Amino acid sequence: MIRAARNLSRLWTIARVLARHDALDVVDLPIATLAARLLRLGQPPIHDGRPGQRLAAALTELGPTFIKLGQALSTRADLLGEEMAADLSDLQDRLAPFPSHEARAIIAEELAMPVDEAFSHFDDTPVAAASIAQVHFAVTKDGHDVAVKVLRPGIDQAFKKDIDLLRWLAEWVELTQPRLRRLRMVESVETFEESVVLEMDLRFEAAAAAELSENFQGDDTFQVPEVDWTRTGKRVLTLERVYGIPVDEREQIAAAGINLDEVLKKAAESFFNMVFRDGFFHADMHPGNLFVDKDGNLVAVDFGIMGRVDQRTRRFLGEMLLGFLNGNYRRVAEIHFEAGFVPADKNVDTFTQACRSIAEPIMGKPMHEISIARLLGQLFQITEQFAMQTQPQLLMLQKSMLVAEGVGRRLDSSVNMWEMARPLIETWMIDNLGPQARVKETVVGAVHALERLPRMLAETEKAYTAMLNGGLKLHPDTMSAMRGEGGRRRGAPTWLPWVLAAVLAALLVLK
């Protein structure tokens, strides 16, 4: 009851903010318009524009958790439609900065030393202030220029209250609306919670930066600032300061004598390598987080939101994209069934037809106008008709691809960035989807099975010994047969556990 009362009170506040911005009608229910008028007490809305723009303004007023929620919802074109999802993707994660004395206090507490001992210079004016943290430039005692990210005070407690409300609402929806359970709302809230909790522990962001840097070791075309681990903690992250031109400032890049097509090619190749080679990608690579250095190489910042795609999903995704590019829509449909994205009781022929209806209008355009991200987004929109379960990792990837394509079009609208990465794509396809790759996968599976063999043999022998000693109760006839009773009495055959283990090993290898 206490939880319900607390959440209903917060829900009332949220409803009033949505009503003021005329954003209640985004739920498309007749009662929403009437409710909005009542909550505004007859006053006109303070915001006009498209529904997605009004919702973005309301979420900004509601604070950090709802800004993050809006950014997460921007990946759900299947729920909100493309226009609203696009409007939410423009949601700016910018808030008024908190006082510098609070930032200094957090740094001193986290690093167990005053700011003046940690840095020879600390700029009290932040260069950026977002919902989770703000950034200050500083200089270390040994003369290195750094950027210091400081978590907002009290953000964790505010987030816990809001996430409890979202989970409570999701639980009620799943309880009262069985047809919506396929959307896995409670699980989606938990995924959202996990991502933001990780984002609020800056040590995880530091680890993500270090892992991404390691993945691109030896590749100067995509760089990650070095982590200063001695000045990093849960609420403070210190990174090497980045110097460069924002990637969307094409005039400045060209004026610096840097070839725009080369920058675009590096952006395409680095994104492809992150997703398909490494399965670990920067999921918030908008122009504010990507710079071009004096040598024309890319430098990324802000590693709070990262995505992972396992090897199996990468293979399915690769085959799906290849099927679309080749016009083999039947194969695209089959891949969805094989991956378990579409329930087995659905009709593969009908799903093939749906895939064709989505792809033909897109793939028939000139190459530079083709958007793979939009193709995936429209594919996810047919989820309700075919009861496809939500795939959070693919939604995040699709949003990241959309952002990457936007960066590419700002640099050169006449070039398709995926076409520039074609050699990498073709090589990856051969290495991962060709006959040799399947043979390699089978061999690797067999090797892994053999690696498990010693432990399996030990467990089998232990189980067999336990059976003989009465540790496991079997039928008396079974025990008699294993001991050789019913004929002449003899000792238990010592080869039996090894035969059993060999049979199990063979089954694992052939699986």
Side-chain angles (χ1 to χ4, degrees):
M1 292 297 293
I2 294 176
R3 182 192 184 201
R6 182 178 64 245
N7 286 328
L8 285 171
S9 174
R10 177 62 170 151
L11 195 59
W12 171 257
T13 301
I14 292 169
R16 292 182 62 189
V17 172
L18 291 172
R20 281 205 307 273
H21 289 273
D22 198 19
L24 267 179
D25 63 350
V26 298
V27 297
D28 196 25
L29 291 175
I31 196 174
T33 302
L34 176 61
R37 290 174 181 171
L38 291 174
L39 289 167
R40 286 199 303 267
L41 302 177
Q43 297 296 314
I46 62 174
H47 194 282
D48 56 10
R50 295 189 300 271
Q53 293 173 327
R54 301 197 302 269
L55 180 58
L59 293 175
T60 300
E61 181 179 336
L62 287 169
T65 304
F66 290 89
I67 292 173
K68 289 296 178 186
L69 177 63
Q71 292 175 329
L73 287 173
S74 70
T75 66
R76 300 304 305 271
D78 58 316
L79 294 179
L80 305 177
E82 284 195 40
E83 183 182 89
M84 185 173 293
D87 287 336
L88 289 180
S89 69
D90 293 331
L91 187 63
Q92 298 297 310
D93 192 2
R94 297 172 186 166
L95 291 178
F98 55 89
S100 61
H101 71 269
E102 292 187 23
R104 283 177 171 266
I106 291 170
I107 294 171
E109 183 178 350
E110 197 67 34
L111 303 185
M113 66 177 77
V115 170
D116 292 339
E117 287 186 20
F119 306 99
S120 61
H121 172 74
F122 182 84
D123 192 342
D124 283 321
T125 302
V127 294
S131 58
I132 297 293
Q134 66 187 34
V135 179
H136 296 257
F137 286 148
V139 181
T140 64
K141 291 290 187 178
D142 48 3
H144 290 119
D145 293 341
V146 293
V148 184
K149 189 172 185 177
V150 187
L151 207 65
R152 279 188 175 274
I155 186 65
D156 50 347
Q157 293 302 318
F159 174 75
K160 285 179 182 177
K161 292 179 181 177
D162 287 335
I163 206 68
D164 183 64
L165 168 64
L166 295 175
R167 185 185 290 106
W168 182 70
L169 290 173
E171 289 168 354
W172 271 103
V173 169
E174 291 196 352
L175 181 65
T176 60
Q177 302 292 325
R179 68 182 183 85
L180 297 179
R181 288 174 188 164
R182 67 173 186 84
L183 299 175
R184 302 191 297 189
M185 290 190 177
V186 172
E187 185 177 336
S188 296
V189 170
E190 290 172 351
T191 301
F192 172 62
E193 178 184 19
E194 181 181 348
S195 68
V196 179
V197 166
L198 289 177
E199 196 175 353
M200 289 193 298
D201 188 335
L202 299 182
R203 294 170 298 186
F204 285 101
E205 182 174 345
E211 182 177 350
L212 193 62
S213 177
E214 187 176 298
N215 289 343
F216 281 88
Q217 191 170 9
D219 183 356
D220 292 334
T221 63
F222 185 85
Q223 300 173 25
V224 176
E226 184 179 353
V227 178
D228 184 342
W229 288 102
T230 62
R231 297 175 180 85
T232 292
K234 183 176 181 179
R235 295 180 295 165
V236 176
L237 168 63
T238 304
L239 291 172
E240 170 190 3
R241 182 174 173 178
V242 167
Y243 293 92
I245 304 169
V247 73
D248 60 338
E249 299 287 349
R250 66 186 312 275
E251 290 79 12
Q252 289 189 41
I253 296 171
I258 299 169
N259 187 295
L260 292 173
D261 284 348
E262 282 298 311
V263 174
L264 181 55
K265 184 171 184 289
K266 291 172 182 177
E269 291 180 350
S270 61
F271 189 83
F272 180 86
N273 283 330
M274 278 190 278
V275 174
F276 286 95
R277 183 192 67 191
D278 307 323
F280 183 63
F281 61 95
H282 194 306
D284 195 24
M285 208 160 62
H286 60 74
N289 287 339
L290 197 61
F291 299 85
V292 180
D293 70 10
K294 59 183 179 60
D295 298 317
N297 296 319
L298 296 168
V299 187
V301 298
D302 196 350
F303 310 97
I305 305 175
M306 307 295 290
R308 289 192 187 273
V309 187
D310 60 33
Q311 181 68 29
R312 181 174 178 270
T313 304
R314 277 179 268 167
R315 284 198 57 187
F316 280 123
L317 185 62
E319 281 200 84
M320 183 171 65
L321 294 178
L322 186 62
F324 273 125
L325 292 171
N326 294 336
N328 189 350
Y329 304 119
R330 176 75 181 195
R331 182 57 190 148
V332 172
E334 291 172 346
I335 291 162
H336 280 75
F337 282 83
E338 291 171 11
F341 296 162
V342 179
D345 61 344
K346 298 300 176 181
N347 188 292
V348 67
D349 294 321
T350 306
F351 191 69
T352 300
Q353 186 178 357
C355 291
R356 181 184 294 276
S357 71
I358 292 167
E360 288 291 347
I362 294 175
M363 304 309 292
K365 293 182 177 180
M367 188 64 196
H368 69 277
E369 295 181 12
I370 292 176
S371 168
I372 298 298
R374 191 166 298 277
L375 176 67
L376 292 177
Q378 292 193 12
L379 181 64
F380 297 150
Q381 286 185 44
I382 66 173
T383 58
E384 184 171 3
Q385 183 179 352
F386 292 92
M388 290 171 60
Q389 286 200 337
T390 302
Q391 302 296 323
Q393 77 279 16
L394 293 184
L395 291 173
M396 182 179 285
L397 175 59
Q398 185 264 336
K399 171 65 186 306
S400 301
M401 291 175 73
L402 194 63
V403 172
E405 286 179 349
V407 170
R409 286 191 168 84
R410 285 188 180 95
L411 289 171
D412 191 339
S413 60
S414 66
V415 176
N416 187 304
M417 66 182 298
W418 309 122
E419 182 67 16
M420 300 190 81
R422 193 178 187 89
L424 281 178
I425 295 172
E426 291 174 344
T427 300
W428 186 88
M429 293 293 187
I430 293 170
D431 291 344
N432 291 272
L433 303 179
Q436 292 182 349
R438 297 189 183 279
V439 171
K440 178 182 176 182
E441 185 178 9
T442 302
V443 171
V444 169
V447 169
H448 287 166
L450 290 173
E451 288 174 348
R452 295 195 300 269
L453 185 58
R455 186 178 65 179
M456 185 178 60
L457 292 174
E459 293 298 326
T460 303
E461 189 164 13
K462 185 188 300 182
Y464 178 67
T465 302
M467 284 190 291
L468 293 182
N469 294 333
L472 295 176
K473 301 299 182 183
L474 300 180
H475 192 278
D477 292 342
T478 305
M479 291 297 294
S480 296
M482 294 180 70
R483 291 195 177 101
E485 296 174 359
R488 64 183 183 88
R489 186 175 299 272
R490 61 180 181 273
T494 58
W495 45 264
L496 181 58
W498 297 96
V499 171
L500 292 172
V503 172
L504 289 172
L507 289 173
L508 283 172
V509 170
L510 294 173
K511 187 177 180 180

